[in-house]
């Protein structure tokens, strides 16, 4: 199971998707999202990409730091951080940028504390999803640990790149799973 909530996530469809994928030396995902397919696919090599730099930085922090990063993230899942005031302060810290490690942990915090677990940015690039008002937001420790273990068992590269740049890096035999973002319903829904 992915450690992030994700609109349009593929966790429920993983078995059906895997049944259609051919064998190959490397899985390539240009639109990673929560990385549900990567987590469940039997490939020993993977190129997991998304244009969202914050998402890719979070994946890299889990991959590089494992248990230390999981413990750091747990510090944001306390009763005192589950208030509107704390949420707004931490969202402002996330939007201010700065330390990649902190920003990555804050993305996880925001994803689990915001309304419906949405990851959405406004036209200025600021995370703008409102507070979710959950009684006790779930800290996905088991899921983070499973993700970290998967990255240790595989030769996985995470990259924040446009799908066209990812396609330029394809190698013979790669298995590409493309689940592009949905087409906006209107000109203002982009």
């Amino acid at each position: 199971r992915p450690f992030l909530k994700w609109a349009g996530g593929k966790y429920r469809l993983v078995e059906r998707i895997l049944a259609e994928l051919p064998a190959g030396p490397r899985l390539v995902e240009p639109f990673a999202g929560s990385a549900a397919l990567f987590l469940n696919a039997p490939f020993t090599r993977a190129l997991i990409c998304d244009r969202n730099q914050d998402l890719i930085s979070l994946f890299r922090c889990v991959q590089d730091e494992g248990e230390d990063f999981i413990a750091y993230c747990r510090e944001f899942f306390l009763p005192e951080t589950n208030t509107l005031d704390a949420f707004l302060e931490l969202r402002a810290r996330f939007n201010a940028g700065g330390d990649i490690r902190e920003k990555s942990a804050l993305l996880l915090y925001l994803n689990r504390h915001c309304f419906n677990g949405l990851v959405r940015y406004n036209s200025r690039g600021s995370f703008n999803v409102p507070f979710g008002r959950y009684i006790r937001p779930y800290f996905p420790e088991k899921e983070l640990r499973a993700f970290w273990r998967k990255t240790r068992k595989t030769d996985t590269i995470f990259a924040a790149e446009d799908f066209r740049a990812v396609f330029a890096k394809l190698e013979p035999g790669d298995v590409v799973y493309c689940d592009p973002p949905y087409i906006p319903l209107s000109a203002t829904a982009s």
Side-chain angles (χ1 to χ4, degrees):
R1 205 173 244 297
F3 62 84
L4 293 169
K5 295 179 184 180
W6 205 261
K10 297 296 172 261
Y11 179 71
R12 291 184 179 139
L13 300 173
V14 163
E15 292 305 318
R16 290 176 61 189
I17 295 167
L18 289 175
E20 299 296 325
L21 288 183
R26 181 173 75 155
L27 173 67
V28 178
E29 281 193 81
F31 307 102
S34 69
L37 184 65
F38 160 72
L39 280 167
N40 293 280
F43 296 87
T44 57
R45 293 179 57 222
L47 175 59
I48 307 301
C49 304
D50 202 286
R51 284 197 61 185
N52 185 327
Q53 179 65 59
D54 298 326
L55 175 66
I56 296 300
S57 293
L58 172 55
F59 288 165
R60 286 179 181 159
C61 282
V62 177
Q63 179 182 38
D64 295 344
E65 296 185 44
E67 293 291 345
D68 289 340
F69 185 71
I70 293 168
Y72 177 62
C73 290
R74 190 180 303 110
E75 296 173 16
F76 293 97
F77 285 75
L78 304 171
E80 55 267 25
T81 62
N82 190 28
T83 66
L84 176 59
D85 289 342
F87 176 84
L88 293 175
E89 178 189 331
L90 291 170
R91 187 177 71 180
R93 271 176 43 192
F94 174 86
N95 286 329
D99 180 67
I100 290 173
R101 185 177 198 244
E102 180 184 61
K103 193 168 182 180
S104 295
L106 287 173
L107 179 61
L108 176 62
Y109 163 84
L110 291 170
N111 177 256
R112 289 293 176 159
H113 287 78
C114 73
F115 179 75
N116 280 351
L118 294 173
V119 173
R120 181 185 70 201
Y121 300 83
N122 65 21
S123 61
R124 293 180 307 279
S126 294
F127 189 97
N128 68 349
V129 183
F131 184 53
R133 302 188 191 281
Y134 299 107
I135 293 170
R136 189 179 303 151
Y138 176 69
F139 178 62
E141 185 168 355
K142 291 181 294 197
E143 293 85 352
L144 284 160
R145 195 168 285 121
F147 186 93
W148 175 53
R149 286 184 185 133
K150 175 75 175 193
T151 66
R152 292 183 66 183
K153 292 189 301 188
T154 59
D155 175 14
T156 303
I157 296 170
F158 295 104
E161 295 184 326
D162 181 82
F163 72 94
R164 290 169 285 249
V166 176
F167 289 166
K169 294 179 180 182
L170 292 177
E171 299 170 1
D174 280 346
V175 175
V176 181
Y177 177 71
C178 272
D179 178 26
Y182 300 102
I183 296 172
L185 297 175
S186 69
T188 60
S190 64

